[in-house]
Amino acid sequence: MNRNYIDAISWRLVALLSNVLSGLVVAALYTRYFSKEMATVLLAALNVMGYLSLFDGGFRTVANRRLLISTHAAEKTRIIEVCQSLYTALAFVFFLAAEVLVSMYATTPNPREAGVPYVFFLAMGLVAALNIICGSQMGLLLGLGAQKQMFILQTIIAWVTLIALQFWLRIGYGYWSLPMAYLSQLVVIWPLTLMMIRRQQPGLKVFRWNFGADFRAAIADMRLDAWACFRSQASILLLFSLDQYFIGAYCKGSAAYLVLARFFAYVRSLLQSLGEVSWPLIAQKEDIGRKWGMPLLRLNGWLYGAVLGAMLLTLPGFVLRFATQEYEVSRTIMLLLVGRFLITGLSSPVSYFLFGLGDFVQVARRIERELILGVVLAIPFAYKRSAEGVAAAFLVATVAGTLFPLMSDYARRVGYSAWSMFIQVWWRGLLSFGISVSLAFAFLQLGLSGYALVVVGAVAASGALLVPIGWAWLRAPSLTGLPWSQRARFIVENL
């Protein structure tokens, strides 16, 4: 674990903690300012906007990987210039796609019944497209080796969006506060993004219009990897948003599900930091994946089990802290979501490791099969307006697509036993889950509620993690006198 890795993962954690904390407050604002019907419509609209990032066709990730592994300055400059021309053209695609997506969503039953005007969705699409254009430039920082700067920008985005949303809601803009908040965010983030990019690449032209022979040759060279990357990214995004789309568009009074899903998405983003930060390093040095893959998977198992175990008992009551009884969380929904996110969470680093190794195709195939199964199973339940049925359908698909196959693919690639990897990760995840649930249950007997549930969850998760840390400390060599970074490395290796 070198200094750059530690810096990057530290700032990634800061960025994601900022997203989680600001997300908690944003969820509270939705339940405070909007009815559950309106909240359902607005939250689902935001999920629809998330599809826009797919329209880059996977080129940013592939280009970033090539920038990271390239050792020639001229080649790096060529890749950057090609990408800037590509994203200039894609800016028009983002605008068109945004308006098409929001128009399709605006025609579904719940938005029509809520009485939200069509022009609101057009405004949301326009602002979302502008933010995606800014985000596509921000993504270049990863390929330039400036992960830390990218995560700093993500931290700023979280807090600026929250402050802006709260401001516009308080002065009475209602649901129009959403596009106003994201426009306010853009005004702050766009100049900061350009400043940080130009520190890494002086003289960079953000918008280029050069589609000559060099551009066509570079695109042709990257297109197969980009297509596989696009398939995997599209499938992952759809996999974690189509359930919310079905429920937001067709299932009445299911705002609690959408609020819970956003909480789980924040936590998933936080916990998958290990894989997200690791893949660029694996791309540069493949042996890092072989050396650190298994220790990081074991660590990930302990973390996910501890956090989701605490959330199972504390999150429903925490949601009600901000809302009326109409947002009461169904136990069935909660169990289905926890089961699904535990399975995906324990396997999530594997997808990033395979990205780092350049194996985009296999990840795409696995996730596509899971997505197709989830949609096929969910459609009848969406037609019957059953949120529980939709959630169960996607859990079954996750069991079939993610529980074992992805780990098996990675194990084959790095020469491990797939079953040994699976067992090592899952017994740790289930043990920490059980300890965390037990600790949370014991604390809840004190009758705690509201904000105190955050403390209960944190204590339960931390308590569950003390078990593996203590065990690793005993198994590790003598750590006396070693720097803290080396101590941390030995502990992670022995978890």
Side-chain angles (χ1 to χ4, degrees):
M1 288 189 186
N2 59 30
R3 181 72 184 187
N4 290 336
Y5 181 87
I6 293 171
D7 283 349
I9 199 167
S10 297
W11 271 104
R12 178 56 175 159
L13 290 173
V14 170
L16 286 165
L17 280 171
S18 297
N19 273 295
V20 170
L21 293 174
S22 63
L24 293 175
V25 181
V26 167
L29 292 174
Y30 276 105
T31 58
R32 183 177 303 163
Y33 284 92
F34 304 118
S35 68
K36 64 178 181 180
E37 288 79 13
M38 184 61 72
T40 301
V41 169
L42 297 178
L43 288 169
L46 291 176
N47 291 328
V48 170
M49 292 299 92
Y51 299 158
L52 283 178
S53 60
L54 296 176
F55 286 88
D56 79 335
F59 277 95
R60 176 60 79 197
T61 301
V62 173
N64 280 342
R65 184 175 184 274
R66 296 197 179 194
L67 283 172
L68 290 166
I69 64 177
S70 176
T71 57
H72 302 290
E75 174 64 12
K76 288 187 175 184
T77 300
R78 186 179 75 92
I79 293 172
I80 291 169
E81 290 177 350
V82 165
C83 283
Q84 295 307 96
S85 294
L86 174 64
Y87 280 93
T88 298
L90 284 176
F92 297 99
V93 176
F94 291 140
F95 283 117
L96 178 62
E99 300 308 328
V100 170
L101 284 173
V102 295
S103 296
M104 291 172 60
Y105 175 69
T107 62
T108 57
N110 283 356
R112 291 202 313 268
E113 292 170 14
V116 181
Y118 180 67
V119 68
F120 166 80
F121 293 106
L122 293 180
M124 280 291 291
L126 177 63
V127 175
L130 290 171
N131 276 277
I132 290 295
I133 293 168
C134 178
S136 68
Q137 294 299 320
M138 193 187 304
L140 178 60
L141 289 167
L142 181 63
L144 295 174
Q147 285 195 82
K148 182 175 79 171
Q149 285 80 355
M150 185 175 73
F151 298 144
I152 290 172
L153 287 172
Q154 290 175 356
T155 302
I156 297 171
I157 286 173
W159 296 113
V160 169
T161 304
L162 170 61
I163 293 168
L165 180 62
Q166 193 159 25
F167 171 78
W168 292 110
L169 283 170
R170 282 190 173 180
I171 64 174
Y173 271 63
Y175 51 74
W176 284 102
S177 300
L178 272 72
M180 294 301 294
Y182 287 104
L183 186 60
S184 302
Q185 173 216 105
L186 186 70
V187 170
V188 174
I189 293 301
W190 181 250
L192 289 176
T193 299
L194 295 185
M195 181 183 71
M196 288 190 177
I197 291 174
R198 284 172 175 155
R199 280 184 179 178
Q200 304 295 322
Q201 192 76 13
L204 176 76
K205 291 183 178 179
V206 176
F207 297 106
R208 293 178 59 88
W209 200 261
N210 186 352
F211 303 103
D214 286 346
F215 174 85
R216 294 192 296 272
I219 295 297
D221 184 45
M222 290 190 286
R223 66 182 176 84
L224 292 179
D225 282 345
W227 172 242
C229 182
F230 166 76
R231 286 166 51 199
S232 61
Q233 290 174 342
S235 299
I236 290 170
L237 179 57
L238 291 170
L239 194 60
F240 289 102
S241 61
L242 277 182
D243 60 329
Q244 297 173 57
Y245 172 78
F246 285 141
I247 289 170
Y250 298 100
C251 302
K252 295 291 289 182
S254 299
Y257 181 94
L258 299 178
V259 171
L260 282 176
R262 289 185 76 80
F263 280 129
F264 278 104
Y266 292 136
V267 172
R268 183 171 63 91
S269 296
L270 178 66
L271 295 180
Q272 70 186 21
S273 299
L274 292 171
E276 190 172 349
V277 175
S278 297
W279 84 258
L281 300 177
I282 293 173
Q284 291 175 299
K285 296 182 180 179
E286 192 169 314
D287 60 315
I288 291 178
R290 291 187 170 86
K291 180 180 179 181
W292 282 102
M294 200 62 232
L296 290 176
L297 280 172
R298 292 197 296 262
L299 171 60
N300 184 70
W302 289 116
L303 286 170
Y304 257 97
V307 172
L308 289 178
M311 290 176 68
L312 176 64
L313 296 184
T314 60
L315 186 55
F318 182 75
V319 170
L320 283 178
R321 164 66 181 82
F322 303 108
T324 62
Q325 291 300 315
E326 65 182 2
Y327 283 89
E328 188 169 1
V329 176
S330 156
R331 289 184 180 180
T332 302
I333 287 288
M334 192 66 194
L335 287 170
L336 291 170
L337 281 170
V338 167
R340 184 184 179 198
F341 277 86
L342 183 62
I343 294 169
T344 57
L346 296 188
S347 302
S348 63
V350 169
S351 299
Y352 286 106
F353 295 166
L354 288 170
F355 273 16
L357 296 171
D359 197 350
F360 300 108
V361 174
Q362 193 60 26
V363 176
R365 287 173 180 166
R366 296 295 187 191
I367 304 301
E368 283 169 348
R369 291 169 187 171
E370 181 177 340
L371 173 63
I372 292 169
L373 179 59
V375 170
V376 169
L377 294 176
I379 287 175
F381 294 106
Y383 178 76
K384 293 181 179 179
R385 297 197 167 194
S386 168
E388 287 83 359
V390 172
F394 277 89
L395 173 59
V396 170
T398 299
V399 171
T402 298
L403 183 62
F404 182 75
L406 273 174
M407 281 195 191
S408 176
D409 294 335
Y410 176 67
R412 266 198 314 274
R413 182 65 188 265
V414 296
Y416 288 152
S417 162
W419 279 107
S420 174
M421 178 184 291
F422 180 82
I423 291 168
Q424 286 188 59
V425 171
W426 269 90
W427 79 254
R428 287 167 170 83
L430 292 176
L431 177 59
S432 62
F433 182 88
I435 295 171
S436 183
V437 168
S438 300
L439 289 172
F441 179 79
F443 281 112
L444 289 174
Q445 303 314 302
L446 300 174
L448 301 173
S449 62
Y451 288 112
L453 293 175
V454 177
V455 178
V456 170
V459 171
S462 301
L465 290 174
L466 287 177
V467 174
I469 291 172
W471 182 46
W473 188 281
L474 293 174
R475 295 177 66 205
S478 175
L479 304 178
T480 306
L482 293 178
W484 70 269
S485 58
Q486 201 163 351
R487 292 184 188 186
R489 189 189 74 187
F490 280 131
I491 290 173
V492 170
E493 287 175 343
N494 288 276
L495 282 172

